[in-house]
Amino acid sequence: MRIVLISGAGLSSTSGAPVYNDISHHPLYEAFNNLDNDEVEVVANQIADKFLSLSPSKVHRECALIESVCNQLDIEFCHYTLNVDALIEKAGGSAQHVYGNVQAPSSLVKFRSIPQVDLSTLNWEPDDIVFFLGVSEQGLPLAYITSCIDSAGGSIFFYNLQHNDELVGHQIVGDLSHTFSCAEVLRHIPLPISVADFGIGTDVEFAEFSIGGTDYTIFFTGYENSTVNPDMIASGAEKLDVDDVNRVFEVKFDVSQNIGNNTAYKRPKRNLSFKELNVLGQILMAYIYSHYACSEVKPSMYVAEASYPELNAFYRRLANCHGVGLLWVHRLINNPHQQRISGDFHAFKPTS
């Protein structure tokens, strides 16, 4: 499986970068297109100065987060961009620039006529999942490329301001700042869920992953075996208008070593960095969505209770992030059973 991002001007317009219509008749860019190589270097540096002053938007940071999550899950990732700015790099990610990068102005000249990467010649596989972010048909044989992906059996998703009837694939229309997120991408990745009883006499669904050298396990426990107080589940169900609590699942995660050592929820030796916490949160949500997608009972609601109050900030930040909001309806429920031994209680259900 491979996750591929292909980005165009619509991605960087979220940071104020010009789109095609802004530059098609601009004197600076006309000079760049028409001058010979000896004279165009000065213009390339002027263009670089303009783009280097831009700052990445949350959409660029979401792209970098996708890359980090894929690295942790050992999923092949690649980002091709038609943009010459360095906003992905500033956000902490990486990309292959088709037409050069302003961080090396000479590359703009080198690849202004012959692209560094010819996207029309790429080989595609049946399990490729490809996301086009703000890409138009100006300067790119989009219909041909998408037909090649479709013919190979890959999955295609477009994020753009307007619907295009001539393209194959799923189209999500709207401003990228509102429609695109790491969580939205990860929900299309079929992550494996396993089953074991862990010595408790009943099957438990679970998955394992690693962050920062520490192994974690996420568990999904059905209502009948949940450790959450039934009153709390009932409160969450009322807030979210859920009428079938028999299909509620409790979500827990723990350091895998604690399971074998019988030291449930003992804190890891090393605290995760802020970036690692973001990756951890996204992976947890990705596994929850995979569980929902493959579950035969179609869960009506998920509930999670922080193991101790110190985790409250992490849970709240995760539950309230933009990407989670696109996929889930969430409520933070007052927890009368907290009393220093547990933290916040969260309930959430899939959006319709």
Side-chain angles (χ1 to χ4, degrees), residues 81-217:
T81 184
L82 306 177
N83 302 325
V84 298
D85 59 68
L87 294 171
I88 288 294
E89 289 81 0
K90 284 185 176 181
S94 64
Q96 296 188 45
H97 290 261
V98 173
Y99 297 113
N101 186 342
V102 292
Q103 291 179 319
S106 61
S107 69
L108 306 184
V109 179
K110 182 177 181 180
F111 301 114
R112 64 173 174 163
S113 300
I114 301 175
Q116 183 173 199
V117 180
D118 186 350
L119 298 179
S120 65
T121 64
L122 295 179
N123 294 320
W124 302 100
E125 300 294 336
D127 56 357
D128 285 337
I129 308 176
V130 186
F131 298 85
F132 289 86
L133 309 178
V135 179
S136 70
E137 293 182 284
Q138 295 160 329
L140 186 71
L142 193 55
Y144 173 73
I145 294 172
T146 55
S147 68
C148 292
I149 300 171
D150 186 58
S151 297
S155 300
I156 307 167
F157 298 87
F158 292 95
Y159 288 80
N160 226 325
L161 289 175
Q162 296 180 335
H163 189 276
N164 188 333
D165 293 331
E166 297 182 359
L167 299 176
V168 296
H170 307 276
Q171 297 196 42
I172 299 89
V173 177
D175 189 311
L176 279 168
S177 298
H178 304 304
T179 61
F180 181 74
S181 70
C182 177
E184 170 66 19
V185 168
L186 295 179
R187 80 182 181 106
H188 299 293
I189 300 177
L191 298 175
I193 306 292
S194 303
V195 177
D197 66 11
F198 291 96
I200 64 175
T202 185
D203 286 341
V204 175
E205 296 169 287
F206 73 99
E208 297 175 311
F209 58 91
S210 297
I211 297 288
T214 300
D215 296 329
Y216 290 89
T217 304

Side-chain angles (χ1 to χ4, degrees), residues 242 244-248 292 297-302 348-350:
V242 170
D244 187 358
V245 295
N246 291 314
R247 292 187 290 118
V248 169
Y292 174 77
V297 301
K298 282 302 173 200
S300 59
M301 183 176 73
Y302 289 91
F348 47 103
K349 70 175 182 180

Side-chain angles (χ1 to χ4, degrees), residues 191 193 204-206 218-223 226-229 232-253 283-306 315 318-319 324 327-333 344-351:
L191 298 175
I193 306 292
V204 175
E205 296 169 287
F206 73 99
I218 181 172
F219 303 93
F220 302 94
T221 308
Y223 175 76
S226 172
T227 61
V228 174
N229 187 292
M232 295 297 294
I233 294 179
S235 179
E238 179 182 2
K239 295 287 187 181
L240 292 177
D241 193 26
V242 170
D243 57 8
D244 187 358
V245 295
N246 291 314
R247 292 187 290 118
V248 169
F249 278 80
E250 179 186 4
V251 182
K252 299 178 181 177
F253 77 97
I283 290 177
L284 292 174
M285 296 309 302
Y287 272 110
I288 293 171
Y289 205 95
S290 283
H291 178 268
Y292 174 77
C294 69
S295 176
E296 295 181 356
V297 301
K298 282 302 173 200
S300 59
M301 183 176 73
Y302 289 91
V303 296
E305 187 174 16
Y315 271 92
L318 172 61
V324 173
L327 304 179
W328 306 96
V329 181
H330 163 258
R331 292 290 184 274
L332 175 63
I333 310 297
D344 285 343
F345 178 82
H346 296 265
F348 47 103
K349 70 175 182 180
T351 55

